[in-house]
Each structure stands twice: as C-alpha cells, then as structure tokens.
Amino acid sequence: MYLFSGDENGKLLARIDDPVPQTAAVFGFQDAGLLSPGDVNNDGRADLFGNGFQQAGPGGAPDEGRIWVFDGKATVDNPAARGVVLYEPRDPTPTEGGQCCFSLDKTDYNKDGRPDLYVASHPTTYRSPASTRAGAPMSSTAGTDRR
C-alpha cells in the first residue's frame, strides 16, 4: 500500500508492505477513505487498515484471511519501516476459505470515544439451522478481538 500527501505535490509519505508476505496473496485491498479506522491509539494521527482476505491465517488455514491496523504516525514518521503494525485483530471463528476481513467499517459501537472495528468475512453459503433446505444462502460475519 502507498500513502501519498494530499497537497498539490502528492509526495509519497510511506509505503506499507504486507507484514506476512505470501505467494499469490492479496494485501491492502480495502483501506480507503471511509474504511480507514480513524485514530485507534489516540496519538492524534489517523491509523490505517491493511487486509489480506485471501491470505493463510495465523494458524495456516488457506484463504482464512488476515487484517492489520497500522500506526499512522509511526508509519509516516519512519517511512523506512514500511508500516508499523499496532495490532492484528484475529478472526474468532477461523475457517479455511473464510476470507476474514473482506469488508471493513468503523464506528464507536461501545461509546468509549475510540473507533471500534467491524470486520466481516466473505459471504458464505451453508445450511442454516433455521432453514429446511440445504445450501440456504447466509452471510457469515466474524467480529474480531485484539489477541
């Protein structure tokens, strides 16, 4: 991912590399504008999401997906670091092919003055316990914790 200055020069401020590079994995697919997490560490600077929804998860399951929150201040102040990770939220229900972190959003759900992160998995089709027919389409979403 690249972070450019918003002024008329458009100077490159920082490059953010995948913290866990994997062959054929997508990194940084969705971090823009409305999806930016805001200032999650209260240092006065906006922080950044970086996701890899097709990456093997921390446990090694293929296409489990991963997400990172990068420190915006440290990343811009130290561009040679190529991204300073604040934390990696973990999918509480990791599954092979689950593609955690396919979609992202933020708001202050618990009203503590800091943005909370809503992270969802790729839509999945499976049999719903409430359904009488197999393969009923359902959207599988996964919250995250900060392990």
Side-chain angles (χ1 to χ4, degrees):
M1 297 185 333
Y2 297 95
L3 180 62
F4 293 94
S5 170
D7 65 16
E8 66 279 353
N9 296 323
K11 176 185 170 191
L12 178 65
L13 297 176
R15 172 179 160 179
I16 301 172
D17 289 344
D18 188 337
V20 185
Q22 297 174 15
T23 303
V26 175
F27 170 70
F29 182 67
Q30 293 175 329
D31 180 283
L34 299 176
L35 299 178
S36 295
D39 183 10
V40 299
N41 62 352
N42 269 343
D43 68 356
R45 303 267 282 277
D47 300 307
L48 302 151
F49 278 136
N51 71 348
F53 66 90
Q54 291 178 318
Q55 289 195 319
D63 289 341
E64 181 182 315
R66 295 178 90 148
I67 184 174
W68 297 270
V69 177
F70 294 91
D71 185 323
K73 181 180 185 318
T75 296
V76 171
D77 291 351
N78 184 13
R82 303 245 170 125
V84 178
V85 175
L86 280 174
Y87 61 91
E88 179 183 354
R90 302 279 178 98
D91 184 346
T93 57
T95 56
E96 182 176 333
Q99 295 187 342
C100 173
C101 317
F102 184 78
S103 61
L104 316 164
D105 198 2
K106 58 109 172 139
T107 194
D108 186 5
Y109 289 101
N110 61 1
K111 304 296 183 195
D112 65 357
R114 297 174 77 176
D116 302 305
L117 311 177
Y118 171 83
V119 180
S121 297
H122 191 275
T124 306
T125 301
Y126 61 94
R127 181 175 160 74
S128 165
S131 173
T132 58
R133 60 188 180 90
M138 293 186 65
S139 177
S140 171
T141 59
T144 60
D145 65 7
R146 294 184 185 189
R147 281 189 232 163

